[in-house]
């Protein structure tokens, strides 16, 4: 998802004196102070002061326009403070801290929306917090609402598509990506997402066309090339996959995704002419070296390359680490490869 939180500026209206509206000296002073604070407020402490001023206004006798002013100002300040919590969440690697920051952000976004239900930025930001906290349905609902409030804000649609895709709802995700592309035909992320959906729906011809269109939109984007290479590899188009991986590495020589994908083909391809165990081992090691955690796919690839080189003892250890880190659905495939290495046999992809 696009998790860039919206840095917004409050644009309000201020009428400092109007007898017809009944603005007293206390109200005028409060509005003057609130306007001054909101003009420069950036830190959590400064935004909290703005919120406290707005809370104070609830104890005064206000005309409807004044109530609206303070509600809008508080919504702005709470959304902006929520963004600070969300940024802190993005920068943290501690799961407990992430949940704490997102919970604080969620509270501010929710109160912002209560004060101003048309504050589409706060609605969208709340959706992002719900997504981080695993509240999928609430996140999707907020993305829909944000887009309804501001039909030009297609980032909300894109994030909806991403969540649907991650949840395995490929047909619904495809529709959302296509809505984004209708508004912005040059959106590379949406074009790539559309390609992924076509692929998962087994519409391979449309998938490859969409991957090609994404590459035309971003010819210097190594990850887009790696995406198409993955699809070629899955379909058994080894030559085309190798060319795309190599082109991706020409653009970004240390891209782990491309290193791993290329290493897998060079180690396991059923066609002898494409296998190169030594080069596979080099790329597989490079990919693993760039990750600070056990990515089961990278370790599985390194094990396959080691087995292709006849290093079965280390291959067994490596695939054992992959099994520990892999999701339950992937473990049977890894255990099958472990059984091969125990018999001192390398793994080969089936012929397509």
């Amino acid at each position: 998802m696009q998790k860039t939180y919206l840095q917004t500026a409050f644009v309000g209206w201020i009428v400092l004196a109007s007898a017809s509206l009944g603005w007293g000296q206390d109200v005028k002073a409060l509005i003057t102070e609130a306007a001054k604070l909101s003009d420069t407020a950036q830190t959590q402490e400064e935004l909290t002061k703005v919120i406290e001023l707005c809370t104070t206004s609830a104890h005064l006798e206000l005309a409807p326009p004044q109530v609206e002013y303070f509600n809008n100002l508080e919504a702005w300040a709470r959304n902006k403070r929520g963004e600070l919590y969300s940024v802190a969440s993005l920068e943290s690697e501690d799961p407990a801290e992430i949940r704490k920051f997102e919970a604080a952000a969620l509270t501010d976004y929710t109160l912002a929306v209560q004060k101003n239900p048309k504050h589409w930025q706060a609605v969208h930001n709340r959706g992002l917090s719900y997504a981080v906290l695993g509240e999928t349905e609430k996140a999707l609902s907020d993305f829909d609402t944000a887009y309804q409030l501001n039909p030009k804000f297609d980032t909300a649609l894109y994030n909806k598509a991403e969540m649907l895709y991650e949840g395995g709802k490929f047909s619904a995700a495809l529709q959302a990506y296509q809505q984004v592309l209708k508004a912005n035909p040059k959106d590379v992320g949406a074009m790539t997402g559309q390609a992924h959906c076509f692929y998962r729906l087994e519409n391979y011809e449309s998938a490859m066309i969409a991957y090609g269109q994404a590459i035309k939109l971003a010819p210097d984007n190594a990850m887009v090339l790696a995406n198409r290479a993955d699809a070629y590899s899955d379909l058994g188009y080894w030559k085309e996959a190798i060319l795309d991986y190599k082109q991706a590495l020409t653009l970004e020589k240390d891209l782990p995704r491309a290193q791993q994908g290329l290493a897998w083909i060079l180690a396991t391809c059923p066609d002898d002419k494409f296998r190169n165990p030594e080069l596979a081992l080099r790329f597989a090691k490079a990919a693993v070296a760039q990750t600070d955690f056990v990515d089961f796919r990278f370790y599985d690839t390194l094990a396959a390359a080691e087995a292709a080189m006849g290093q079965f003892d280390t291959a067994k250890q490596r695939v054992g680490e992959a099994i520990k880190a892999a999701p339950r659905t992937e473990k049977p495939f890894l255990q099958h490869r472990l059984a091969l290495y125990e018999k001192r046999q390398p793994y080969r992809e089936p012929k397509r």
Side-chain angles (χ1 to χ4, degrees), residues 9-141:
F10 176 71
V11 179
W13 48 267
I14 301 174
V15 180
L16 292 179
S18 174
S20 62
L21 290 176
W23 291 45
Q25 291 299 316
D26 288 344
V27 177
K28 286 196 296 182
L30 194 64
I31 289 177
T32 300
E33 186 177 359
K36 184 178 179 181
L37 280 174
S38 63
D39 192 46
T40 58
Q42 295 291 331
T43 68
Q44 180 181 329
E45 182 180 11
E46 291 166 344
L47 292 165
T48 299
K49 288 181 180 178
V50 175
I51 293 167
E52 289 172 348
L53 278 177
C54 293
T55 303
T56 300
S57 73
H59 303 295
L60 299 175
E61 189 172 338
L62 303 175
Q66 299 163 352
V67 173
E68 182 182 359
Y69 170 79
F70 282 112
N71 281 345
N72 288 342
L73 179 57
E74 183 175 346
W76 168 83
R78 286 194 178 278
N79 180 63
K80 197 166 180 66
R81 190 174 70 175
E83 290 170 352
L84 295 181
Y85 289 132
S86 294
V87 169
S89 166
L90 287 172
E91 293 174 347
S92 176
E93 296 181 359
D94 182 342
E97 268 199 349
I98 291 171
R99 292 193 69 83
K100 181 186 75 173
F101 285 131
E102 286 298 345
L106 184 61
T107 297
D108 265 343
Y109 296 142
T110 298
L111 290 171
V113 174
Q114 287 177 6
K115 290 295 179 180
N116 180 4
K118 294 182 180 180
H119 199 309
W120 56 269
Q121 297 100 323
V123 174
H124 175 259
N125 285 344
R126 185 174 66 178
L128 292 175
S129 286
Y130 277 137
V132 172
L133 294 169
E135 299 276 359
T136 302
E137 293 305 318
K138 291 180 180 179
L140 291 172
S141 177

Side-chain angles (χ1 to χ4, degrees), residues 24 108 161 164 171 183 248 277 348:
D108 265 343
L164 289 168
S171 294
R348 294 284 181 268

Side-chain angles (χ1 to χ4, degrees), residues 59 100 114 171 196 240 282-283 299 315 332:
H59 303 295
K100 181 186 75 173
Q114 287 177 6
S171 294
H196 290 335
E240 291 82 357
R282 194 184 91 191
F283 280 122
Y299 275 68

Side-chain angles (χ1 to χ4, degrees), residues 165 168 170 194-204 207 211:
Y165 183 86
F170 305 122
Q194 177 181 240
H196 290 335
C197 289
F198 278 134
Y199 188 86
R200 297 302 292 268
L201 293 168
E202 299 183 0
N203 186 342
Y204 300 123
Y211 283 128

